[in-house]
Amino acid sequence: MTCCAACDRHVTVQARRVTMSEVAAMTVDFTQEAERYRHELRVHCYRLLGSFDEAEDLVQETFLKAWRARDTFEGRSSYRAWLYRIATNACLDVINRRPELATTDEMPAADVPWLQPFPDALLDAEPDAEVVARETIELAFLAAVQHLPAKQRAVLVLRDVLGWPASETAALLGDTVPAVNSALQRARVTMRKHLPERRADWSGEPNPREKAVVRKFIEATERCDMEMLAAALREDATWTMPPQPEWYRGRDVLVGFWAPVMVGPEAFGEWKVLETRANRQPALANYARKPGEEFFKPVALDVLRVEDGEITEVITFPPDRFPLFGLPATL
């Protein structure tokens, strides 16, 4: 090998080392910057989709798309707004592929097959209280949002939840300000139709009456006391079980469906309940132990809505949600 060839090879190796070093530094910088927005982007995607699992996936997809398109970011908007645009458009693609929800006047808004709970412990990781305010993260709000068309959904969340100006919302969605304002007005009409009538009465912080009725519900479950369970429910209480399409309304109807698994020959056995929180609402992790078994095993996660000291809605999720809430596998 000649001296010149050796020198050329040395220069090439050095250049390659510099390039790899720069890429590594760029990756670190990108990751650190993107991670600052992970929590709020997850909440944003969750509001649009109603599914925690899909929100997690979409945040990862957002970061991947942003990394691949990093050279196209020209700084004309903030880095945060750029990530929101990528995340929102990714969510809209998912929404447009979903079947339209069938609704009737009698059907609870929470009858949404893909609806999933969001643990309060993860909501608390978001430092901006407005981003995770109870009235815009509770399941009634999330379920109502799922009844909006994709564009109206994005406009409502960006404008009414995040407080973006119409001009920025229009820029993110590639639309005009008049079109955004029109979509917002239509979205608000639909939301009023699907949200509970007395929502303003129960969207505050937990109060003594709420805590008392939750304790009563827990005690009734562990004692398998159907009369006590009924006393905790409002007469027109509803029960939904995503992803199952069934829903039920009425205190007596609900107790009638729950009774066979709590009393009688088909009962699951003994019950234990752990209290947790989801979507700024009380949530109960139900465990049952059959006769002869050593441990209580997960059965279901109930998220409750309470109005005036009565439980008005129970949304039951499968036990695969337990690990997300940090709940034990057995008791």
Side-chain angles (χ1 to χ4, degrees), residues 2 37 52 110 112 114 136 144 173 176 229 250-253 255 273 284 295 310:
T2 65
Y37 304 105
F52 183 91
V112 178
W114 52 83
T136 63
L173 296 173
T176 65
L229 204 62
R251 174 196 297 142
D252 294 340
V253 174
V255 173
V273 181
L284 307 179
F295 299 106
E310 295 180 299

Side-chain angles (χ1 to χ4, degrees), residues 155-175:
V155 169
L156 180 93
V157 170
L158 291 167
R159 296 280 284 113
D160 281 0
V161 176
L162 297 178
W164 285 35
S167 57
E168 291 184 21
T169 302
L172 184 148
L173 296 173
D175 215 331

Side-chain angles (χ1 to χ4, degrees), residues 18 122 230 256:
V18 171
L122 294 181

Side-chain angles (χ1 to χ4, degrees), residues 48-104:
L48 291 173
L49 300 173
S51 165
F52 183 91
D53 293 343
E54 286 185 312
E56 288 273 71
D57 292 343
L58 266 292
V59 171
Q60 290 302 114
E61 182 178 326
T62 296
F63 287 169
L64 180 59
K65 287 182 175 180
W67 168 251
R68 289 173 174 170
R70 63 192 182 280
D71 293 336
T72 66
F73 177 60
E74 299 176 352
R76 285 181 291 185
S77 64
S78 68
Y79 189 78
R80 176 176 180 262
W82 184 59
L83 289 176
Y84 265 89
R85 185 179 72 209
I86 297 172
T88 301
N89 287 324
C91 289
L92 294 181
D93 288 341
V94 172
I95 295 167
N96 286 324
R97 292 195 298 267
R98 283 177 174 169
E100 185 175 348
L101 283 172
T103 61
T104 66

Side-chain angles (χ1 to χ4, degrees), residues 44-316:
H44 177 63
C45 292
Y46 174 68
R47 279 199 181 95
L48 291 173
L49 300 173
S51 165
F52 183 91
D53 293 343
E54 286 185 312
E56 288 273 71
D57 292 343
L58 266 292
V59 171
Q60 290 302 114
E61 182 178 326
T62 296
F63 287 169
L64 180 59
K65 287 182 175 180
W67 168 251
R68 289 173 174 170
R70 63 192 182 280
D71 293 336
T72 66
F73 177 60
E74 299 176 352
R76 285 181 291 185
S77 64
S78 68
Y79 189 78
R80 176 176 180 262
W82 184 59
L83 289 176
Y84 265 89
R85 185 179 72 209
I86 297 172
T88 301
N89 287 324
C91 289
L92 294 181
D93 288 341
V94 172
I95 295 167
N96 286 324
R97 292 195 298 267
R98 283 177 174 169
E100 185 175 348
L101 283 172
T103 61
T104 66
D105 291 340
E106 297 81 17
M107 184 181 297
D111 188 28
V112 178
W114 52 83
L115 189 66
Q116 292 178 333
F118 200 120
D120 273 21
L122 294 181
L123 290 175
D124 294 337
E126 172 53 53
D128 188 345
E130 289 302 316
V131 172
V132 293
R134 178 172 180 178
E135 62 269 22
T136 63
I137 201 66
E138 61 204 3
L139 286 174
F141 181 87
L142 265 294
V145 167
Q146 303 310 300
H147 293 271
L148 296 175
K151 178 182 173 181
Q152 292 182 29
R153 194 180 307 188
V155 169
L156 180 93
V157 170
L158 291 167
R159 296 280 284 113
D160 281 0
V161 176
L162 297 178
W164 285 35
S167 57
E168 291 184 21
T169 302
L172 184 148
L173 296 173
D175 215 331
T176 65
V177 169
V180 162
N181 289 336
S182 176
L184 179 60
Q185 294 307 313
R186 296 197 302 274
R188 286 172 174 169
V189 171
T190 302
M191 290 293 286
R192 284 194 292 270
K193 176 182 177 182
H194 289 286
L195 285 171
E197 292 182 1
R198 302 180 60 193
R199 180 169 176 257
D201 296 339
W202 57 269
S203 60
E205 292 301 314
N207 56 62
R209 296 184 70 189
E210 176 181 298
K211 294 178 180 178
V213 75
V214 170
R215 286 195 298 269
K216 179 189 291 186
F217 197 80
I218 293 173
E219 183 180 352
T221 301
E222 294 186 335
R223 292 171 52 180
C224 296
D225 186 329
M226 306 313 296
E227 290 187 5
M228 188 177 184
L229 204 62
L233 298 170
R234 197 170 70 183
E235 185 178 3
D236 62 347
T238 61
W239 177 38
T240 52
M241 299 161 289
Q244 302 302 319
E246 293 90 354
W247 60 271
Y248 304 94
R249 186 188 303 276
R251 174 196 297 142
D252 294 340
V253 174
L254 271 55
V255 173
F257 270 97
W258 296 340
V261 301
M262 302 183 74
V263 295
E266 303 299 322
F268 285 11
E270 296 180 80
W271 289 79
K272 290 288 185 183
V273 181
L274 297 183
E275 189 170 356
T276 183
R277 292 196 59 88
N279 300 76
R280 304 304 189 203
Q281 298 172 240
L284 307 179
N286 299 282
Y287 295 77
R289 182 173 64 184
K290 296 181 179 180
E293 292 187 345
E294 183 179 0
F295 299 106
F296 288 83
K297 297 179 181 179
V299 175
L301 179 74
D302 293 331
V303 181
L304 312 178
R305 175 157 62 90
V306 179
E307 295 180 34
D308 295 332
E310 295 180 299
I311 295 170
T312 61
E313 182 179 56
V314 180
I315 305 179
T316 298

